[in-house]
Amino acid sequence: MNIPQSVIWEHGSIRLLDQRKLPHVTHYLTLQTVPAVFDAIKSLAVRGAPAIGIAAAFGVALSALNHPSDDIDEVKEQVLIDSGYLSQSRPTAVNLFWALNRMNEVVIAAPTADSLRENVLAEALAIQKEDEDVCRAIGEHALPLFNDGDHVMTICNAGSIATAKYGTALAPFFLSKERGINLSVFACETRPVFQGARLTTWELMQAGVDVTLITDSMAAHTMKTKNISAVITGADRVAANGDSANKIGTFGLAVLAKSFGIPFYIAAPLSTFDLDTPNGDAIPIEERDPTEITEVNGMRVAPEGVAVFNPAFDVAPADLITGIITEKGVIAPNERDIAALFS
Ligand code: MRU
């Protein structure tokens, strides 16, 4: 089965699948500097919470390798400055901060400049490998929630290229394909920058998973007429009480799922939980450039000067979420069960 990967460490550089160009062009960028990694994250060349964290971790590795000094204090200071800079690339996905914190701990603990360079690269590779295993485990826990022949709706791209491999919300579909279970996916196009239309359909079609594309505004009608049995999405940050931020449009799907009486699942690794954020109101919601709405593929579709509101994420409140599928199993979205995950 063809399951694409978006971040590859190769010959001391990051090979990064440029997700802005998909599905028409499969092009890998070569990133060798911290500013190049920052720009790739900010401009959505790499996107999806775990993949952002992995790219940033390799960005810290690049920082260390690009500072050849033998003075441990000097290297530490420079690498921590670069790490702080990378943390400003996007605000909502907590995996970015989670991965950078892990990298910072390794930087701070390093006794010599050489060991620092060695250890940060090992840590970035470990973060990537762990995410692949975690995503596969999420898929294993998600698969029993569906039956052969089910129609399942998703939004954005929480697939292989949004993670190390397999994805979170899309993982069960790759596993179902491996095991001969027929699941059909209805993918919302995901305005404004079409991660569903461009990325989710591309990934699932390559793996031979049955996928049908709809616009975001077709979700209610599709639930009613196409026998949708569940909704599954990824998350960028799960608050301590279970409120979950994900790509704009997710909240609406959760409301619709409740209205139709169908389960609404969030699939997210533990690295996406933020116990320091008490609830969804405290999750920072990124607002992006108005041209993402006023233009489509560089062509203007709205009048010059129109006011624009372009939040990239929204929050599905815990009471609309049936369960959160993690690598440790499916949990109820409440403070007690989430705290227990980390105990
Ligand atoms: O703006 P994006 O494309 O980075 O938003 C991504 C999402 O909302 C994903 O659903 C989320 O990060 C989970 S990816 C496994």
Side-chain angles (χ1 to χ4, degrees):
M1 195 186 320
N2 191 358
I3 303 180
Q5 278 181 279
S6 58
V7 187
I8 299 163
W9 180 259
E10 205 174 76
H11 309 308
S13 306
I14 303 172
R15 280 190 74 220
L16 188 87
L17 178 63
D18 189 346
Q19 299 191 34
R20 298 165 302 190
K21 290 190 159 51
L22 289 173
H24 308 299
V25 179
T26 308
H27 174 68
Y28 279 82
L29 302 161
T30 301
L31 308 182
Q32 287 168 324
T33 66
V34 170
V37 176
F38 180 96
D39 290 343
I41 296 173
K42 198 171 176 61
S43 67
L44 309 185
V46 59
R47 33 67 50 204
I52 292 170
I54 292 163
F58 283 122
V60 173
L62 279 179
S63 166
L65 296 173
N66 290 346
H67 287 110
S69 160
D70 283 338
D71 181 334
I72 177 66
D73 294 329
E74 189 187 315
V75 177
K76 265 186 198 176
E77 189 186 343
Q78 281 306 316
V79 174
L80 291 175
I81 288 172
D82 283 345
S83 175
Y85 169 60
L86 287 167
S87 75
Q88 289 162 37
S89 53
R90 292 193 76 188
T92 304
V94 79
N95 303 62
L96 172 66
F97 310 101
W98 171 87
L100 289 173
N101 283 342
R102 255 180 83 160
M103 297 302 289
N104 290 351
E105 279 173 24
V106 172
V107 171
I108 289 163
T112 64
D114 280 343
S115 67
L116 187 153
R117 284 185 278 273
E118 205 172 299
N119 295 350
V120 289
L121 179 56
E123 189 70 4
L125 289 166
I127 287 173
Q128 184 179 41
K129 175 71 181 100
E130 283 169 29
D131 189 61
E132 179 176 334
D133 296 344
V134 155
C135 286
R136 198 164 168 102
I138 288 174
E140 295 287 358
H141 291 300
L143 196 52
L145 300 170
F146 307 123
N147 296 309
D148 193 58
D150 272 1
H151 294 182
V152 183
M153 189 174 284
T154 191
I155 190 166
C156 196
N157 171 269
S160 187
I161 58 175
T163 63
K165 199 174 173 187
Y166 300 111
T168 55
L170 297 193
F173 306 119
F174 293 123
L175 296 190
S176 71
K177 191 70 199 170
E178 271 178 18
R179 290 167 200 182
I181 301 164
N182 292 309
L183 296 178
S184 297
V185 180
F186 283 76
C188 295
E189 64 177 351
T190 319
R191 282 286 284 144
V193 294
F194 299 107
Q195 290 94 330
R198 295 186 300 106
L199 309 177
T200 293
T201 56
W202 175 79
E203 261 195 58
L204 293 178
M205 286 171 79
Q206 285 192 78
V209 176
D210 182 54
V211 57
T212 301
L213 176 64
I214 60 168
T215 70
D216 300 347
S217 53
M218 295 171 187
H221 182 72
T222 304
M223 281 186 197
K224 186 175 167 193
T225 58
K226 292 292 181 188
N227 203 19
I228 300 294
S229 51
V231 178
I232 184 168
T233 79
D236 286 83
R237 192 184 296 228
V238 179
N241 72 341
D243 292 350
S244 299
N246 190 52
K247 178 55 52 186
I248 191 76
T250 301
F251 180 22
L253 292 187
V255 173
L256 288 176
K258 178 98 173 174
S259 162
F260 284 100
I262 61 177
F264 175 87
Y265 297 111
I266 293 283
L270 267 59
S271 54
T272 299
F273 286 72
D274 180 8
L275 301 194
D276 294 332
T277 297
N279 55 52
D281 291 341
I283 298 177
I285 300 293
E286 177 182 13
E287 289 186 30
R288 294 186 59 86
D289 195 303
T291 56
E292 287 186 349
I293 296 185
T294 56
E295 295 178 6
V296 174
N297 267 349
M299 196 174 108
R300 188 142 190 118
V301 292
E304 289 290 345
V306 67
V308 168
F309 177 45
N310 183 19
F313 300 96
D314 58 24
V315 176
D319 63 347
L320 296 181
I321 299 170
T322 311
I324 306 180
I325 306 156
T326 76
E327 63 269 38
K328 288 194 178 173
V330 185
I331 60 149
N334 63 57
E335 209 153 323
R336 197 200 55 199
D337 291 34
I338 289 173
L341 264 186
F342 290 87
S343 62

